């Protein structure tokens, strides 16, 4: 009799568990309210960053630090819309590096440590300069102009970390040493830490 009742008790317990509503954890992230077309563009860009990281990790895994550096330089560094446009037109890594140096010499730094106002002005200068170089037609100033100052600062940190990763990759020996791998992974973690923090802080609707 004792054993016969066990299935019945188990069924009652399962039914009670299924009937008990699960308390959802409150989502405390900051909401970014965007127009539908801007939201779609923004999510597409975020997916692109994930693809960029995946491509960088794949290149590192194959020991191709030059390819990983090129990806970080053109797709993750501050001003990446400009560098991607140059790469799409066939520019080499050296030509992109030279363009970055020209912009830096004109006071267009990579954005780290800037106030939000300085960051926005610098983006405008970079976009205008890119148009003058024949690269910026329809480029605009990126998604940051649609975001809050706090989000722009987070994006600034991510792109700055991407630029630092490119430098570490460029500085590695050929073939890369164990120490090079350690340095690269440490730098890569700086990028992913910002990504993780961003997703933990913001959500879009």
């Amino acid at each position: 009799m004792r054993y016969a009742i066990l299935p019945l008790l188990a069924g009652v317990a399962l039914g009670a568990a299924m009937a008990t509503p699960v308390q959802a954890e409150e989502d405390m992230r900051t909401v970014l309210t965007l127009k539908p077309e801007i939201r779609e563009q923004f999510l597409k860009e975020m997916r692109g960053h994930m693809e960029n990281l995946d491509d960088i990790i794949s290149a590192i895994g194959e020991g191709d630090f030059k390819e990983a550096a090129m990806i970080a330089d053109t797709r993750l560094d501050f001003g990446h819309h400009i560098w991607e446009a140059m790469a799409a037109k066939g520019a080499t890594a050296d030509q992109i590096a030279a363009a970055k140096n020209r912009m830096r010499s004109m006071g267009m730094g990579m954005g780290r440590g800037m106030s939000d106002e300085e960051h926005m002005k610098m983006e405008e200068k970079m976009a205008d300069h890119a148009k003058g170089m024949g690269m910026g037609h329809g480029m605009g100033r990126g998604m940051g102009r649609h975001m809050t100052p706090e989000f722009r600062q987070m994006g600034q940190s991510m792109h700055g970390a991407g630029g630092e990763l490119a430098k570490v990759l460029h500085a590695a020996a050929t073939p890369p040493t164990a120490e090079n791998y350690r340095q690269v992974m440490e730098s890569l973690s700086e990028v992913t830490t910002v990504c993780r923090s961003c997703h933990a802080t913001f959500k879009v609707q």
Side-chain angles (χ1 to χ4, degrees), residues 135-191:
M135 299 180 299
H137 179 66
M139 184 182 298
R141 285 175 15 230
M143 298 305 300
R145 66 190 187 278
H146 302 292
M147 304 300 168
T148 64
E150 294 78 14
F151 184 90
R152 283 195 292 270
Q153 289 292 329
M154 189 81 76
Q156 182 178 324
S157 296
M158 193 280 283
H159 292 305
E164 291 300 317
L165 173 61
K167 291 178 184 178
V168 173
L169 286 161
H170 279 303
T174 304
T177 65
E179 177 61 14
N180 290 150
Y181 273 101
R182 187 197 66 77
Q183 292 170 343
V184 164
M185 295 310 296
E186 182 178 317
S187 186
L188 180 61
S189 73
E190 294 288 332
V191 179

Side-chain angles (χ1 to χ4, degrees), residues 10-159:
V12 171
L14 179 60
M18 294 177 66
T20 303
V22 177
Q23 185 69 35
E25 184 177 346
E26 187 176 2
D27 191 342
M28 301 298 291
R29 291 177 295 169
T30 299
V31 176
L32 300 173
T33 303
L34 306 174
K35 295 179 180 179
E37 64 274 16
I38 300 301
R39 180 179 183 274
E40 185 58 35
Q41 291 177 34
F42 173 70
L43 292 177
K44 181 179 179 180
E45 182 160 319
M46 294 303 101
R47 290 192 297 271
H49 288 326
M50 289 300 298
E51 292 169 3
N52 297 336
L53 285 172
D54 189 47
D55 290 344
I56 288 171
I57 291 169
S58 294
I60 292 171
E62 294 171 1
D64 191 347
F65 280 28
K66 290 187 182 299
E67 175 64 16
M70 181 64 175
I71 297 169
D73 253 338
T74 57
R75 302 190 216 164
L76 286 186
D77 198 1
F78 196 80
H80 66 96
H81 292 100
I82 299 171
W83 321 134
E84 287 178 84
M86 288 186 68
K89 290 189 174 185
T92 65
D94 288 341
Q95 289 171 326
I96 292 172
K100 288 184 180 184
N101 289 333
R102 283 197 300 273
M103 287 192 175
R104 289 190 182 106
S105 69
M106 296 170 65
M108 302 179 204
M110 291 298 103
R112 301 192 87 175
M114 288 184 173
S115 68
D116 187 61
E117 183 179 358
E118 290 171 330
H119 178 227
M120 294 292 283
K121 287 181 179 178
M122 191 267 292
E123 273 198 343
E124 291 176 359
K125 288 173 66 178
M126 290 181 74
D128 289 343
H129 186 66
K131 289 176 183 177
M133 296 169 67
M135 299 180 299
H137 179 66
M139 184 182 298
R141 285 175 15 230
M143 298 305 300
R145 66 190 187 278
H146 302 292
M147 304 300 168
T148 64
E150 294 78 14
F151 184 90
R152 283 195 292 270
Q153 289 292 329
M154 189 81 76
Q156 182 178 324
S157 296
M158 193 280 283
H159 292 305

